[in-house]
Amino acid sequence: MTLRFLLLALTLLLPFSRGTAALYVDHIRGDDKNNGLSEETAVRTIQCGVDRAEPGTTIWVYPGTYDENIVLKSGQPEKPIRLQARFPGMARIGKPLELKPEDGSTPPVVRAQTGNARVLGVVDLRSGWMRRMASPAEVEKLAGSFFDARKEGIVTIHLSGYPDLANVTLLGITNPGSGVRMADHTILDGLTITGFASAGVLIDKASDVEIRNCVFYANACGIAAMGGSDIRILDNRLWRNGWENNPLWWNGRPSGYAGQIIFNPIRGIMEHLRVENNLAAWSNGHGIRFYAGRGVKDSVVRGNVVYGSEQMGLFYKTGIHGDATAENNIAFRNTAADLRAPIAVGNIVGRLANYPGNPDGWKIEKKENVNLKGGDARALFLAPRYDDFRIAPRTPLSKTPAAEAFNRQKGGEIRFVPGSEAGTIRTGETVCVTSGNAESP
């Protein structure tokens, strides 16, 4: 009898042996008591899958909402642990805000419960634009206006022109901490991450890290890197990240993590950094920013689009160490400088700032950049969806290195729309607005 039970115990342990090539996570049908080795025996939480993973494992995440703070474990060189959405964009980490009207509330004014969540704004799903909060006095009379009474956990929405709540959704901070904390030799691919009070993804002294094909929105910071090397941030979409009061602090002081992609090397020198082909749209903070900290070496920012930041667009702080290169980026309509880098080559920018003299003698170079001007018919581009943005192939800008590189990635034709006819833009359509005066949402 004892031998029989011993054999049974060994059989149960076999599914969790080292070298598992794939694990499956399914929030809807999974169970953390399962072995996770197939779709039929998927576990329920991502962290359970991570805890069982070994170097070389791919963790497949099925569609659903995963209300978790995930801490990845380290893989090995050539054997990373990969956290990957089974269907890109359909697995969401972070609990979104939901509109739950109070009993008896009717349009045009609706009061909805939000609990302890911090409401950032309301998105019109028909156009993708976010509307900011109005004052209490304005909300009863202005169509499409909103007011957040945080202490009461209620948002008041004036929906004049809306038949119901189907066309609007809330953005807000609903989750503490960070969504995913990266580790050495890890890859994050195809996830959607939203609503975190610190960062959607935190990189803290991790090396050989890759984040690709993900969507980040309504986080205090999209991607925050405090230390590490060999970091690759590729082909992501970041929207409405970057809010004040970020709890990522260092030595009792605010660490500056408010934006879409932020590098602040407070843990030590960061080197071998690649930020390529990302779209960063509409931030209360920075777009892509490098702080000097303890030093940044060998960084390349290439082929990104950064627009609508309320602070810096694409910005290297003075004191960054050598070979910091911004190449073929498009940066415009950022409140402060659109782009400032020691080496700036082939960028399209609204305002290209001069990088100050470098006392350490590192190379400073500017060439083949296009500076846009207000009112220029070539100047500004507008897409009614944050995740769809291309350069019109027939404009003069289409021949610049940045435009050619970006259109190779995206492809497709774009309709020209004069600024006076911006109201004719259809939802989901990509257009070139032939005026430098297009208004932000």
Side-chain angles (χ1 to χ4, degrees):
M1 184 67 70
T2 302
L3 179 60
R4 181 178 177 183
F5 278 109
L6 178 61
L7 291 174
L8 177 60
L10 289 173
T11 302
L12 292 174
L13 288 174
L14 283 175
F16 310 125
S17 61
R18 297 181 66 85
T20 301
L23 291 169
Y24 298 85
V25 181
D26 189 333
H27 177 74
I28 299 173
R29 297 176 298 174
D31 189 322
D32 284 349
K33 296 179 182 179
N34 291 340
N35 61 27
L37 295 178
S38 68
E39 298 178 12
E40 292 74 21
T41 60
V43 297
R44 186 173 188 273
T45 63
I46 295 174
Q47 191 64 56
C48 181
V50 169
D51 293 342
R52 297 181 183 181
E54 299 292 342
T57 300
T58 295
I59 305 167
W60 293 100
V61 183
Y62 275 73
T65 296
Y66 297 84
D67 187 12
E68 304 180 49
N69 298 86
I70 298 158
V71 179
L72 295 182
K73 60 196 295 188
S74 295
Q76 295 176 356
E78 308 302 327
K79 290 185 177 181
I81 291 178
R82 178 188 293 267
L83 185 62
Q84 183 162 355
R86 184 65 179 85
F87 304 100
M90 297 181 68
R92 179 169 51 196
I93 300 174
K95 185 178 180 181
L97 273 174
E98 297 180 359
L99 279 171
K100 296 181 179 179
E102 291 184 312
D103 292 339
S105 61
T106 57
V109 175
V110 171
R111 290 175 177 84
Q113 299 284 348
T114 60
N116 295 323
R118 181 179 172 212
V119 180
L120 304 177
V122 182
V123 177
D124 182 346
L125 297 177
R126 299 174 300 182
S127 66
W129 296 144
M130 186 177 87
R131 300 175 187 270
R132 299 286 184 85
M133 295 296 156
S135 69
E138 293 171 327
V139 75
E140 298 293 337
K141 60 183 179 180
L142 296 177
S145 60
F146 312 90
F147 171 65
D148 177 22
R150 191 177 307 174
K151 290 183 179 180
E152 292 77 20
I154 296 173
V155 59
T156 302
I157 309 170
H158 190 155
L159 292 172
S160 178
Y162 293 85
D164 51 42
L165 297 179
N167 292 316
V168 295
T169 189
L170 297 179
L171 291 186
I173 302 295
T174 58
N175 310 279
S178 299
V180 179
R181 188 184 184 101
M182 304 298 288
D184 295 338
H185 314 297
T186 54
I187 298 173
L188 191 67
D189 191 342
L191 280 299
T192 295
I193 303 177
T194 183
F196 285 93
S198 292
V201 165
L202 176 62
I203 305 170
D204 187 0
K205 298 183 69 174
S207 297
D208 186 19
V209 169
E210 186 169 303
I211 303 166
R212 63 182 307 126
N213 300 322
C214 294
V215 174
F216 298 83
Y217 68 94
N219 300 285
C221 182
I223 301 172
M226 304 168 72
S229 62
D230 295 298
I231 297 170
R232 303 172 298 280
I233 301 175
L234 313 171
D235 301 299
N236 300 285
R237 298 292 177 262
L238 302 103
W239 181 57
R240 294 290 181 189
N241 301 286
W243 304 90
E244 69 281 3
N245 301 322
N246 191 329
L248 277 173
W249 287 57
W250 178 250
N251 288 344
R253 295 174 297 171
S255 59
Y257 292 99
Q260 312 274 25
I261 302 174
I262 304 292
F263 290 88
N264 193 357
I266 54 182
R267 301 290 199 192
I269 293 175
M270 301 182 70
E271 55 187 350
H272 312 312
L273 313 175
R274 298 293 180 269
V275 182
E276 300 184 1
N277 299 329
N278 301 283
L279 171 59
W282 309 118
S283 171
N284 260 33
H286 305 290
I288 302 173
R289 174 155 183 164
F290 290 79
Y291 287 87
R294 297 185 180 179
V296 172
K297 294 183 179 180
D298 181 27
S299 66
V300 176
V301 181
R302 179 186 293 120
N304 303 280
V305 175
V306 183
Y307 68 102
S309 307
E310 293 195 5
Q311 297 185 41
M312 306 295 182
L314 198 167
F315 190 85
Y316 282 92
K317 189 174 176 63
T318 305
I320 296 295
H321 294 270
D323 299 325
T325 302
E327 181 181 7
N328 295 349
N329 300 284
I330 303 168
F332 62 94
R333 298 187 67 189
N334 302 286
T335 300
D338 286 304
L339 188 147
R340 189 180 85 166
I343 303 174
V345 180
N347 301 282
I348 301 174
V349 297
R351 288 165 296 163
L352 179 63
N354 291 321
Y355 192 81
N358 196 325
D360 296 322
W362 297 108
K363 181 180 180 181
I364 297 178
E365 179 182 12
K366 291 193 300 182
K367 65 179 182 180
E368 300 176 3
N369 299 291
V370 177
N371 280 273
L372 304 177
K373 299 178 181 179
D376 191 330
R378 307 176 307 171
L380 294 181
F381 305 85
L382 176 67
R385 289 183 56 86
Y386 70 93
D387 57 356
D388 187 9
F389 186 92
R390 283 165 286 183
I391 306 278
R394 293 185 296 275
T395 63
L397 287 178
S398 66
K399 301 302 181 183
T400 63
E404 289 180 349
F406 199 76
N407 268 336
R408 277 197 302 271
Q409 177 194 4
K410 289 294 183 183
E413 291 291 320
I414 294 175
R415 182 168 72 97
F416 290 87
V417 178
S420 60
E421 299 178 13
T424 67
I425 298 172
R426 296 184 294 272
T427 300
E429 180 183 24
T430 305
V431 301
C432 171
V433 177
T434 56
S435 169
N437 301 314
E439 294 297 325
S440 62

